[in-house]
Structure formats: structure tokens, C-alpha cells
Amino acid sequence: MPSPYRAIFAAPGTASFSVAGFIGRMPLSMMGIGIVTMISQVTGRYGLAGALSATMAMSAAVLGPLVSRFVDRYGQRRVLRPVTLVSLVAAAGLLLCVQQKAPDWTLFVFTAVIGCVPSLGAMTRARWADIYRGEARRLHTAYSWESIVDEVCFIFGPIISIGLSTIWFPEAGPLFAAVFLAIGVFWLTSLRATEPAPHPKDAHSGGSALRSPGLQVLALAFVATGAIFGSIDVVTVAFAEEQGHKAAASLVLAVYALGSCLAGAVFGLLHLKGEPSRRWLVGVVAMAVSMIPLLLAGNLPLLAVALFVAGLSIAPTMVTTMALVEAHVPRTQLTEGMTWTGTGLAIGVALGSSAAGWVVDASGAEAGYVVPVVSGALAVAVGLLGYRRLRRPVPTREGQREHEAESTVDEREGGEQPVA
């Protein structure tokens, strides 16, 4: 492991909570696709499968920030354990209803309750932020590490979930996703030494973290970014099916995640200078531009190459986003602030998946790649319109002091290194 990554794990307890967070995040990429695979195998109804997956995503988008707000207020252990138990009971209810061929409405009820699953990525990033408060370089590396973990989950999670459901029994994918969630959450919450201190209710006089203008820009941009991800998944599966190799879709999408994973690993080794808001905007533009070659890919090998290149801009942009959230949100609401970006992504994934499915049905798979291109353009538009809000943190935010100090040091050292 390169020295910057070794350095962040020098702090006691960091390796344990990182591994626990990794295990607890596997359901993020396993549960949705597992439900789709399970329902399609048991009922053969892809429409129902997609609707259930979208229901879970929208439920998580609504409930996630609320759960994280309670975490900021009462602490991770007190909130995550009961919330996770509720989600696990709902998952068990869903599997039982599927097995017993219960009415469709019962499936939607249990799937919606599963959406209260906590955002483990936000929980582990909040721990890193608490440990390396004021150490911008190490925190940059820590956020890069977390982005690598995210991408590893998205590389292997769908493969594990689909494989279990198709080779073993239909309910196996969601079942093992629930097992990973239980292990990860209860292990993470047992690590009390690295848990950020909770902040009482009176510290939240400002209301929701989303009142921050900077966070509003980031969350809205991430709706468009999520639409990119959701539409690419749907269109790539359809494109592979048109090419006669539907099973290869998972490998092509894994290449997309691999590109992001490698870029995140390199990005964590760099000490970048200049304003994070400028790097973020460059990353959003790069994501948008990288969508254009997808329109020209006429076969799966070329599509895999195009998606690998497109993936290179994802992790660096995500890492910079977390740095901006820290600068624009009060430290007492950091977990909630990070969760709002995930909420934006979840909403965008649901919208992008629906739009892509409609375009594919109407005009074919190749035309479906227009959806991520348009989504990328919308993300750039939001970034350009909200750039001024991102350049300077709100004066009352605790992150401003660190943000300004880093910018001052960068100005003294001069120049800005390339993003990736």
C-alpha cells in the first residue's frame, strides 16, 4: 500500500471501522439488483421487479437524511442498531412474501421499509473527518480510500448477488445482502473509540443541513449525476442483449467501476492545489464529456473501453464533493450533509433508469445513451450556475476556516496540479 494510504491507517481503530464499513456497504450494490433478479426469476415480471427496485431507492432517498440527522444528534450506535433491525425485519418479510406468493402490495410495503437502511459510507467518512480534522491532505487521502471501497462494492456486489440468486435459489442475493448489512453495522457500532461525538438537539438551531446553499448545489448536481449512473446501467444491459451477449453486461459495467476505482487510488496519492470548487467543476465537466463517446460505440469491446475512460472522472469528483460538503455544512450536521449527496444520487438513479427504459423501448439501446449525455449536460449546467455558492463556504460554517487556510497555503505554493 502506498505511503499516503498507510499513513491514514496509522490512527488506532481506522482499519477496523474501514473493513466494517466495507462489509456494511455491500448491500448498496447487492440489494437492488438482487430484488430485480429474485422477482424476475420467481414471477417473470420485469416491470414489477423494476418498480420494487425503484421503490427501495426512493425510500432510501427520503429516509436516509432523516436517519443521518438522528445519528448526528444521538450518535451512531444508538441510531444505527435499531434502524438496521427494522430494515432487516422488512427484508425478511419481503423474502417470505415472495416465497409465499403474497399480493404485490405487500412486496411494495416491505421494500419501502427496507429503504431505512443507514448510509454506511457517510458513517465511515464522518469518522475519518473526526479523526483528521484540520489535516486536509490526510483527509483527502481518506476520502479517496472510501471512494475506492465504494467502487469495489459496485464491482463485486452485483456479481455476487446475481450469481447467488441464479445458481443457488432466487432469494439468496437479497438474503446475503441482509447478512452483510447486519455484520457491517453491528461491527461498526461496536467500535466506540472512533465514533464521532453526538451533538445535542440545541446545536441544530439551523434546521436541516440542506439549508446550506453550497449543499443544495451539490445535491442537485448529484441528481443529474445519478441519472447518468442509472441510465448507463439500464442501457448497457439492453445494448448487450441486442448484441446477443446479455450476460456480458455485468462485466462491461464492472469495467466502468474499475476505471473509477483506479482513478480514485491515484487521486488519493496527489496533493492538489487550488480551490476544491474548481476541481469539482472540472470533474463534472469531464464526466459529461466522457458520455459522448458512448453514442459512437458500435460493439461491446468499444463500449467497455468508452466506459472505462468515463469511469476515470467519477471517483475524483466524488472525493472533491465530500471535501466541499465538509466546508459548507456545520460539523454538527456532517453525516446528514454527506447523506444528502447520496440522496441526490438515489433520486437521479431512479429517474435515469426510468428515462433510459422509455427511450430504449421507443428507439433502441444505442439511442438510449442519449440519456446519460443529456444528464451530464444538466450536471454541468447546475455546476456552472451554482459555482459562486461553492467557492466560498457560508461564514457560519465550521469548515470555512480549514477551507480558507488550505487555499492560502496553496496560493503561497503557487499553481494547481492536474486533477488526474
Side-chain angles (χ1 to χ4, degrees), residues 240-273:
E241 186 173 13
E242 285 188 0
Q243 296 288 314
H245 302 283
K246 185 177 181 180
S250 60
L251 297 177
V252 174
L253 292 173
V255 170
Y256 185 37
L258 178 62
S260 178
C261 182
L262 294 177
V266 174
F267 193 69
L269 301 176
L270 304 178
H271 176 50
L272 302 176
K273 304 173 182 178

Side-chain angles (χ1 to χ4, degrees), residues 110-319:
F110 283 115
T111 301
V113 179
I114 293 175
C116 71
V117 59
S119 174
L120 268 291
M123 305 305 157
T124 54
R125 286 178 172 91
R127 293 190 180 222
W128 286 116
D130 190 62
I131 291 172
Y132 292 122
R133 183 181 307 174
E135 299 182 48
R137 183 179 296 190
R138 289 197 175 186
L139 196 53
H140 166 78
T141 304
Y143 286 156
S144 298
W145 172 258
E146 290 300 314
S147 290
I148 295 171
V149 173
D150 285 338
E151 298 305 333
V152 170
C153 289
F154 277 99
I155 290 173
F156 294 104
I159 297 174
I160 295 173
S161 186
I162 294 173
L164 288 172
S165 290
T166 54
I167 296 175
W168 201 0
F169 56 93
E171 298 86 357
L175 176 61
F176 272 79
V179 170
F180 281 129
L181 176 65
I183 294 173
V185 168
F186 283 86
W187 184 6
L188 179 69
T189 53
S190 69
L191 304 173
R192 304 297 298 275
T194 55
E195 180 180 349
H199 304 279
K201 186 175 181 179
D202 55 10
H204 291 252
S205 57
S208 171
L210 197 58
R211 295 183 62 171
S212 163
L215 183 59
Q216 292 171 8
V217 174
L218 295 172
L220 188 57
F222 266 45
V223 172
T225 303
I228 293 175
F229 300 157
S231 58
I232 283 180
D233 287 349
V234 172
V235 180
T236 299
V237 172
F239 184 81
E241 186 173 13
E242 285 188 0
Q243 296 288 314
H245 302 283
K246 185 177 181 180
S250 60
L251 297 177
V252 174
L253 292 173
V255 170
Y256 185 37
L258 178 62
S260 178
C261 182
L262 294 177
V266 174
F267 193 69
L269 301 176
L270 304 178
H271 176 50
L272 302 176
K273 304 173 182 178
E275 296 181 0
S277 55
R278 186 184 306 164
R279 293 201 298 271
W280 179 83
L281 185 58
V282 170
V284 171
V285 172
M287 272 199 294
V289 172
S290 68
M291 294 298 104
I292 298 176
L294 302 182
L295 296 170
L296 307 177
N299 54 58
L300 286 175
L302 287 178
L303 178 63
V305 173
L307 283 175
F308 177 82
V309 174
L312 296 177
S313 59
I314 295 175
T317 307
M318 297 296 184
V319 172

